[in-house]
């Protein structure tokens, strides 16, 4: 059993996102060409959509959490020749004290 564990770790290192994407495309084709009774083509739409969802997740189109990344630059007061300058940029926010 130790040989199987070592072999699976080696296979993980050589398996890529592209490999997975290609496999999912093949699964989708198999789902579309699935034959039912009397050798009639009966596509498995749920399997096709699941493979499509996995391809999207693989490409980063879906995420479990919505991450909103925003950066705010905050600039303190500026002193030039000992004189403090207060720079006001943008709209002034109203507070309860105003």
């Amino acid at each position: 059993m130790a040989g199987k564990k070592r072999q699976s770790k080696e296979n993980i290192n050589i398996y890529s996102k592209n490999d997975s994407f290609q496999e999912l495309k093949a699964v989708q084709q198999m789902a579309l060409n699935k034959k039912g009774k009397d050798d009639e083509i009966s596509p498995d739409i749920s399997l096709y959509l699941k493979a499509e969802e996995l391809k999207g997740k693989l490409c980063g189109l879906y995420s479990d959490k919505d991450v909103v990344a925003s950066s705010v630059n905050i600039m303190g007061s500026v002193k030039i020749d000992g004189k403090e300058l207060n720079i006001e940029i943008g709209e002034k926010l109203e507070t309860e004290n105003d």
Side-chain angles (χ1 to χ4, degrees):
M1 290 215 168
K4 287 184 179 180
K5 288 182 180 179
R6 188 178 311 129
Q7 184 181 9
S8 65
K9 286 182 182 179
E10 291 172 4
N11 289 341
I12 291 173
N13 292 336
I14 60 172
Y15 195 71
S16 69
K17 286 183 180 181
N18 189 41
D19 294 335
S20 180
F21 193 86
Q22 295 303 321
E23 291 290 328
L24 290 168
K25 282 176 60 175
V27 168
Q28 283 184 309
Q29 285 303 313
M30 289 175 8
L32 289 177
N33 297 326
K34 181 181 176 188
K35 292 186 179 181
K37 294 180 181 178
D38 302 325
D39 286 335
E40 292 180 17
I41 294 180
S42 176
D44 187 347
I45 301 302
S46 63
L47 181 60
Y48 178 87
L49 291 175
K50 182 61 178 178
E52 187 67 24
E53 179 184 355
L54 291 172
K55 283 173 32 183
K57 284 182 179 180
L58 186 64
C59 293
L61 297 177
Y62 309 113
S63 64
D64 293 338
K65 297 179 183 177
D66 293 333
V67 177
V68 178
S70 60
S71 60
V72 178
N73 292 330
I74 300 175
M75 183 175 160
S77 62
V78 177
K79 290 185 180 182
I80 298 177
D81 294 331
K83 184 176 180 181
E84 187 173 328
L85 303 174
N86 289 325
I87 301 173
E88 296 180 20
I89 297 175
E91 296 180 18
K92 187 173 185 177
L93 298 175
E94 293 183 27
T95 60
E96 294 178 14
N97 296 335
D98 289 342

